[in-house]
Amino acid sequence: MSLLANLNPEQLSAVTLPNQSALILAGAGSGKTRVLTTRIAWLIQTGNVSPAGILAVTFTNKAAKEMLTRISAMLPVSTRGMWVGTFHGLCNRLLRAHYRDAGLPQLFQILDSADQLSLVKRVLKSMNVDEDRFAPKQVQHYINANKEEGKRASDAEAYDEFSRRYAEIFAAYDEQCQREGVVDFAELLLRSFELLSKNEILREHYRARFRHILVDEFQDTNRLQYRWLKLLTGPGSVIFAVGDDDQSIYAFRGANVGNMADFERDFHVENVIRLEQNYRSHGNILDAANALISNNRKRLGKNLWTAAGHGEPLRVFESQTDGYEAHWLAEEVRSLNRDGLARREIGVLYRSNAQSRILEHALFSAGIPYRVYGGLRFFERMEVKHALAYLRLIASSEDDSAFLRVVNFPARGIGARSLEALQDAAKAGNTSLYNAVPQLGGKAGNSLAAFTAMIAALRHEAEGLALPEIVEHMLAKSGLLAHFQAEKDGADRLENLQELINAAALFVQEQDEAQDLAAFLAHAALEAGEHQAGEGSDALQLMTVHSAKGLEFQAVFVTGLEEGLFPHEQSRNEDDGLEEERRLMYVAITRARTRLYLSFAQNRMLHGQTRYNVASRFLDEIPAGLVKWLTPRMGGLPAAEPVLASARDAAIPKPLPRATQMGWRIGQNVVHAKFGQGVIVDAEGQGPDARLQINFGRQGMKWLALEYAKLSAA
């Protein structure tokens, strides 16, 4: 059977499992996506289930699209009837199909994180709450955390005046959302869960329909998502859960790695299949990852291996300062690129966003193109959010968040006092801001009335237009295009607005079901958290380790491996904190295919302060036989001097007897009469030709002849 060709024995066993719930422990680079898609294709091909009987849950829209594309390539069947998507996307689909039962308006809107925060601020203001005591972002986190635990305001803990006030704000927020006909991301899942819990007929319908439920990245599910899956699972249902507990790194988002153990128990799982053959990395990299993660006690256990051979040792670089670490990294990247490795095949990872500044400075100074992966996303750009707000108002005049975003953008002379008066009128009349406009008179009332008249006209003119034409028409009539055309630096924003038209056209092209404005707005809200690919330039990839999950590179640099940074100091105060940090390091290591660099600095500037560090414990958890040190270990050992060495070769100290005799060493802080304080970063030559390369910060990098340098120790 060609469908099963080229599967290894474990993959084949997983794909052809009998109809009972199973847990697939899929290690990094073990082909889990292939197993998932082939399992779906095999189930359909063998007649176990029709496409309409499949429910497949992924964690990104990109993964869902890839899954559908692969299935279509494997089988000559339509994937239209299949429910494949993220938890939020599937819940949105369920709620739109049963909006009346869910107590929602037909055209309910989805709030992204920024719009939710804006609504929280409005609720706090309407309740006269002191934002110093109840910070809006903390309130937002409180609401989402409760919803993700399946709790409403009436269920939230209220054991003192402070917690009772939080619960009151939560209740007022929910009431405002209901009045405006909007839902936040957490509400999508909670409302969907409540709908299925309370409506037995609906619950039994979907249980009977979805006989096969497949879940990707199962280790990233939170408690409510797990309960939602259990609710959809009837006596004849089978769950095929694929995940890797060693890559569970999203506890801060509510992910509960314990769901995997609970799943084994709750579903009486007899089949636990371990996909351990890795198709990405060389053996030394995998051996290092296995050794590191074995220090975690709470794991289901597996051991990655490869047929690709041992490969090169891991390279470790220790520097005196973070600036020197960054300079070394830039030079090493340049060397790799000269030897034929594309910059886009090199990933630079760090634990904290704050670490990127010094790296970016070194790369900029070296003229190395780079891109910070996970930068501002398309649907989160200011001009795009303004355009979406206009579209949301066209779809529903009840949307107060959208109203407030664009009522005075472009400027229409509508000030804060006018809006306060409007909000008071809306509250008194228990109506939306849009509908309260006729209650205001004077100049403010006239300006607001002109705005609502424009929205009404746009709504009327949108009738009969295709979705891309609606977007294009709105951009012209709203004044957004004219506004950015008049801006000195508005070219990029105009390009983004034009791209929004393209996004609408692509949405229509790819959508099998609803192609109306409400569906597109839901799509935009759900896509807001997805990374948009940058231009195709050959640029070095910089990112946090969390952002690197799911990616791979030929060469990877993991920087800042110091106690308190990686593992992060906060991990000491959290349950499972150190184990999660170790899982994060495991993810970092397994991003590399052929070459892995690990680096750290004795002192580092972070948050305006110099930190004096010791090497991360994770370096000690990697067997010494897998590692090549590019610098003699400092760490207080006698006669240990750092040397700048290319990782292409063994670390060979550069011959500089005169410098050594005079006591200078690379990494040392020095002072020059003209250029001020600097750090020795390189050395070359002997005798009278000896010279030092010194980084003088704002004065730049200088090569100075040692004979005439007139340096003093800092």
Side-chain angles (χ1 to χ4, degrees), residues 122 125 403-404 407-408 412-425 433 440 444 447-448:
R122 286 193 283 119
K125 187 173 183 180
F403 185 101
L404 288 172
V407 65
N408 198 43
R412 298 181 178 89
I414 300 171
R417 288 186 180 179
S418 299
L419 290 177
E420 283 180 14
L422 180 62
Q423 287 172 313
D424 290 340
L433 297 174
L440 266 67
S447 298
L448 286 163

Side-chain angles (χ1 to χ4, degrees), residues 453-630:
M454 181 188 69
I455 297 298
L458 285 170
R459 185 179 298 125
H460 174 73
E461 291 157 2
E463 294 175 8
L465 292 179
L467 181 59
E469 293 171 333
I470 294 173
V471 178
E472 188 172 13
H473 183 70
M474 175 277 299
L475 290 174
K477 294 294 184 180
S478 65
L480 286 177
L481 289 181
H483 173 81
F484 290 117
Q485 282 167 351
E487 271 197 351
K488 183 180 177 182
D489 300 314
D492 288 342
R493 299 193 187 280
L494 286 169
E495 286 179 7
N496 287 331
L497 291 177
Q498 293 296 332
E499 189 59 30
L500 186 62
I501 302 172
N502 297 338
L506 185 62
F507 174 78
V508 171
Q509 181 183 328
E510 293 183 343
Q511 231 16 47
D512 291 318
E513 298 181 21
Q515 299 176 358
D516 57 12
L517 180 57
F520 176 65
L521 290 169
H523 161 79
L526 293 168
E527 283 278 329
E530 299 281 344
H531 177 75
Q532 302 296 318
E535 299 298 325
S537 58
D538 183 25
L540 186 67
Q541 306 292 300
L542 271 66
M543 67 198 71
T544 64
V545 183
H546 281 103
S547 297
K549 176 77 162 47
L551 303 177
E552 58 184 71
F553 303 93
Q554 282 298 121
V556 167
F557 291 81
V558 185
T559 64
L561 281 167
E562 298 135 28
E563 284 294 307
L565 187 56
F566 200 2
H568 199 278
E569 56 195 357
Q570 290 180 354
S571 66
R572 303 169 190 163
N573 307 319
E574 300 170 358
D575 292 339
D576 192 43
L578 182 58
E579 295 217 343
E580 172 127 346
E581 288 291 300
R582 191 174 282 112
R583 292 194 291 268
L584 195 57
M585 181 63 180
Y586 177 85
V587 167
I589 290 173
T590 54
R591 298 311 93 198
R593 295 191 196 113
T594 59
R595 181 166 291 196
L596 178 63
Y597 301 86
L598 309 174
S599 66
F600 62 101
Q602 284 191 333
N603 61 73
R604 177 179 303 277
M605 281 290 291
L606 269 182
H607 313 300
Q609 295 182 325
T610 301
R611 294 171 46 146
Y612 297 91
N613 311 301
V614 296
S616 169
R617 70 189 71 194
F618 297 152
L619 288 167
D620 292 328
E621 292 174 0
I622 296 172
L626 302 175
V627 168
K628 177 168 78 173
W629 283 80
L630 302 180

Side-chain angles (χ1 to χ4, degrees), residues 238-310:
V238 171
I239 290 192
F240 186 86
V242 181
D244 183 2
D245 57 326
D246 291 334
Q247 294 190 75
S248 179
I249 59 172
Y250 296 120
F252 67 96
R253 293 182 189 167
N256 178 30
V257 67
N259 285 346
M260 298 186 81
D262 291 346
F263 174 70
E264 270 195 275
R265 182 186 65 252
D266 295 344
F267 287 83
H268 310 290
V269 173
E270 297 176 11
N271 290 305
V272 177
I273 295 178
R274 289 169 168 79
L275 303 182
E276 298 174 303
Q277 184 173 359
N278 177 284
Y279 294 93
R280 175 188 301 158
S281 307
H282 283 166
N284 285 337
I285 293 170
L286 297 179
D287 289 346
N290 289 331
L292 174 96
I293 203 65
S294 67
N295 290 281
N296 274 5
R297 293 168 298 167
K298 303 173 187 175
R299 58 189 296 259
L300 299 173
K302 65 184 177 312
N303 212 51
L304 298 178
W305 63 276
T306 181
H310 294 297

Side-chain angles (χ1 to χ4, degrees), residues 660-689:
T660 304
Q661 290 163 13
M662 295 178 66
W664 303 122
R665 58 184 174 82
I666 294 170
Q668 185 174 357
N669 292 317
V670 294
V671 175
H672 186 271
K674 179 178 178 182
F675 302 121
Q677 189 164 332
V679 179
I680 300 174
V681 297
D682 203 356
E684 67 180 27
Q686 299 184 57
D689 297 323

